[in-house]
Amino acid sequence: MRHDKAIREILAAMQQIIDETAELPDHPTGDDLDKINELLDLYEDIKPQLTDKEKEDLADEIEKLETEKDHIGQTNKTFDEVVADAEEILGKDLTYKDRDDVEDILDRINDLLKDPHLTDEQKEILEDLKDQLEDILDTFDAAAEVEEM
């Protein structure tokens, strides 16, 4: 049987999970990951003491936290891959033959920029890489025009 103090602590923790999950933005970013992990850890700490009904009461919040954590993880993984590929191509001596590779990475960056789970910092990095890649395409286009003359 749980004591009054233990019950109050569990109920306070449950309320914290409910309230702080509701306060998260619709599309949390990596900036919110610490808070999400903190709430999931809190749940894991109290879970052994919860009744089935109390677990059920928190099910929606826990599902949302786990889903958002997965989304952020996938966004971060894709971000890291795209940045690595962009930096690799930007580090090469490029020729017109590399145009398709540049366009491919640019398409991937544009697709990723639509992801609502990106942080502002990640967006800035992608925008900077996008500008650099677009400059390369402009250089290719200018060189092609000169050759046509």
Side-chain angles (χ1 to χ4, degrees):
M1 181 105 168
R2 300 185 300 193
H3 296 6
D4 287 344
K5 181 180 178 192
I7 292 172
R8 283 193 303 275
E9 289 173 359
I10 291 170
L11 293 176
M14 289 177 63
Q15 194 60 51
Q16 179 182 351
I17 292 169
I18 292 167
D19 292 346
E20 292 184 18
T21 300
E23 291 171 5
L24 288 171
D26 289 339
H27 300 288
T29 69
D31 293 337
D32 302 301
L33 195 54
D34 286 344
K35 176 53 71 180
I36 290 170
N37 284 328
E38 177 186 312
L39 293 172
L40 288 170
D41 288 347
L42 177 59
Y43 176 71
E44 288 303 318
D45 289 346
I46 64 170
K47 186 177 176 181
Q49 302 159 42
L50 296 177
T51 65
D52 289 342
K53 171 74 170 96
E54 289 166 336
K55 290 176 189 173
E56 187 179 309
D57 290 345
L58 290 175
D60 289 343
E61 285 78 13
I62 300 308
E63 182 180 343
K64 177 182 175 157
L65 292 168
E66 290 172 342
T67 299
E68 294 302 345
K69 181 178 177 176
D70 290 345
H71 286 163
I72 293 166
Q74 184 58 46
T75 295
N76 289 343
K77 180 178 183 250
T78 303
F79 172 82
D80 290 343
E81 291 169 353
V82 169
V83 168
D85 291 348
E87 288 175 345
E88 180 181 334
I89 202 158
L90 288 168
K92 293 165 96 179
D93 289 329
L94 298 173
T95 66
Y96 194 80
K97 290 185 255 180
D98 297 306
R99 182 182 184 88
D100 288 346
D101 293 337
V102 172
E103 288 176 337
D104 176 59
I105 293 173
L106 198 52
D107 288 344
R108 290 171 57 204
I109 288 172
N110 285 325
D111 287 345
L112 187 54
L113 281 168
K114 297 173 189 169
D115 189 321
H117 295 93
L118 287 172
T119 64
D120 289 340
E121 181 181 349
Q122 288 172 319
K123 289 176 190 173
E124 287 175 26
I125 291 168
L126 291 173
E127 289 290 350
D128 182 52
L129 292 170
K130 178 180 172 180
D131 290 344
Q132 293 177 58
L133 293 167
E134 287 174 341
D135 288 347
I136 290 169
L137 290 180
D138 290 344
T139 301
F140 287 161
D141 292 343
E145 286 179 22
V146 168
E147 285 183 20
E148 290 176 6
M149 293 183 161

